[in-house]
């Protein structure tokens, strides 16, 4: 039993190319939109500014406080817990029980994620 292959007409071929091009444009546009949304969300959720970070490491305690407050607003719980930790009898143990990640422990204990 032999199968016959039907010839594609030029109109059908043009329609197929146009459909492929349409899908390419639509998916490229969707990718661009999702990439833009991701960029905006990640930029708004970024921890503190580079200026505050440098000032904090230069010894400016007010800059460290501003950095902690900003990071706390963005949902970093270890930044929020710094003041609570300082009121504990043993801040080392208190932060150690709550945070297993080294940078979170340092943030809780020292008020900066890498100081």
């Amino acid at each position: 039993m032999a199968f016959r292959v039907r010839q594609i007409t030029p109109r059908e071929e043009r329609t197929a190319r146009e459909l492929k091009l349409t899908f390419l444009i639509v998916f490229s546009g969707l990718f661009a939109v999702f990439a833009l949304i991701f960029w905006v969300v990640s930029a708004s959720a970024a921890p503190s500014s580079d200026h505050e970070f440098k000032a904090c490491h230069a010894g400016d305690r007010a800059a460290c406080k501003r950095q902690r407050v900003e990071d706390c607003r963005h949902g970093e719980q270890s930044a929020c817990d710094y003041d609570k930790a300082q009121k504990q009898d043993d801040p080392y143990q208190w932060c150690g029980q709550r945070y297993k990640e080294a940078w979170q422990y340092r943030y809780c204990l020292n008020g900066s994620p890498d100081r």
Side-chain angles (χ1 to χ4, degrees), residues 2-28:
F3 289 101
R4 298 188 85 184
V5 178
R6 186 174 74 83
Q7 291 291 330
I8 297 176
T9 64
R11 183 175 182 197
E12 291 171 331
E13 190 175 331
R14 189 173 51 249
T15 303
R17 267 189 275 134
E18 290 171 354
L19 189 60
K20 287 179 189 176
L21 183 62
T22 302
F23 279 133
L24 179 66
I25 291 170
V26 167
F27 287 123
S28 297

Side-chain angles (χ1 to χ4, degrees), residues 96-109:
Q97 290 172 347
R98 283 163 179 70
Y99 301 105
K100 301 304 176 203
E101 295 285 329
W103 69 271
Q104 289 178 318
Y105 173 77
R106 287 190 303 267
Y107 216 152
C108 174
L109 190 62

Side-chain angles (χ1 to χ4, degrees), residues 29-61:
L30 286 173
F31 177 78
V33 167
F34 284 122
L36 181 63
I37 289 171
F38 176 77
W39 179 69
V40 168
V41 168
S42 65
S44 67
S48 45
S49 70
D50 191 41
H51 174 71
E52 295 291 335
F53 179 80
K54 288 178 181 175
C56 177
H57 283 271
D60 184 354
R61 294 177 70 71

Side-chain angles (χ1 to χ4, degrees), residues 61-75:
R61 294 177 70 71
C64 291
K65 173 74 174 177
R66 287 190 300 270
Q67 181 183 10
R68 266 195 319 277
V69 168
E70 188 66 26
D71 290 347
C72 182
R73 283 188 191 137
H74 286 279

